[in-house]
Amino acid sequence: GHSGLLLLCGEAGIGKSRLLRESLRQARRRALRVLASPCSAVEAATPYFSWRRLLQQMLLGERPFDAAAARESLRLRLQGEELLESWQPLLNDILPLELADNLITQQMESGARASSLRALLLHLLRGLAAERPILLLVDDLHWCDEASATLLAEAVEAVPRLLLLAGTRPLHPGAAEAAAKLLRNAQAQTLQLDLLPREELDQLACHKLGVRELPPRSEERRVGEECRSRWAP
């Protein structure tokens, strides 16, 4: 019944994306709703880029994008919400839903458009979370655009039964301030990924090789030297 924020922090190649894929697999096995999206260095300045994939999944699941089907799903999810229904065209800023502007959205200033769009998306998320808990996966959070990161932070605060699990490198100097705030969030739990110590490397090697223990270090060196002498040009 609670929301949460778990950050996987570490340098490039340390295993963040691998852990996110494993989390996705386990979440689906437990019948959780999974929404997943990467961030992109190329699109770090594109507002709501990270929410394009998320909104598509919210409306269509894993089906390919179809504007008509997405509009119908949206209509069903907003039935009886007159104000939110009038804000639907704002979602064109994220997905090409081809929803015609109306008198309300035509007159909105940029600040009102942004806050109304966030309110609309949070309402959709709360409706989905009421059906079953949500695991929201975001990879490469360090490239997240400002608008997307702001909305992610609000989702953690406002949507019950939602866990945001994000992979991130240490933030670069030009990172979105909202992404930095996510990392400083008092509710955030951080799992710092670092190089494995030698003992755990040995355990991993044993697991991969299907053996109980590795040969002594002296034997490793002997075998290594023998291989080098045999295969050296």
Side-chain angles (χ1 to χ4, degrees), residues 18-38:
R18 176 68 183 85
L19 279 177
L20 289 176
R21 289 195 299 273
E22 176 62 17
S23 300
L24 183 149
R25 186 186 69 81
Q26 291 195 27
R28 285 179 172 164
R29 190 177 64 191
R30 299 181 187 189
L32 301 179
R33 186 186 302 276
V34 180
L35 305 174
S37 177

Side-chain angles (χ1 to χ4, degrees), residues 54-76:
L54 296 175
L55 179 56
Q56 179 177 330
Q57 293 169 81
M58 288 162 65
L59 297 176
L60 299 172
E62 296 303 315
R63 288 176 288 165
F65 179 72
D66 179 279
R71 288 195 299 270
E72 176 61 15
S73 174
L74 184 61
R75 184 189 69 80
L76 294 173

Side-chain angles (χ1 to χ4, degrees), residues 4-10 16-17 20 37 39 135-142 152 163-169 182-183 189-191:
L5 171 58
L6 177 59
L7 300 167
L8 306 178
C9 297
K16 301 181 297 295
S17 298
L20 289 176
S37 177
C39 301
L135 177 63
L136 203 164
L137 297 176
V138 177
D139 203 0
D140 291 330
L141 180 68
H142 49 281
L152 288 171
L163 172 63
L164 170 58
L165 176 56
T168 182
R169 299 181 205 168
L182 272 174
L183 268 69
Q189 298 182 42
T190 301
L191 179 60

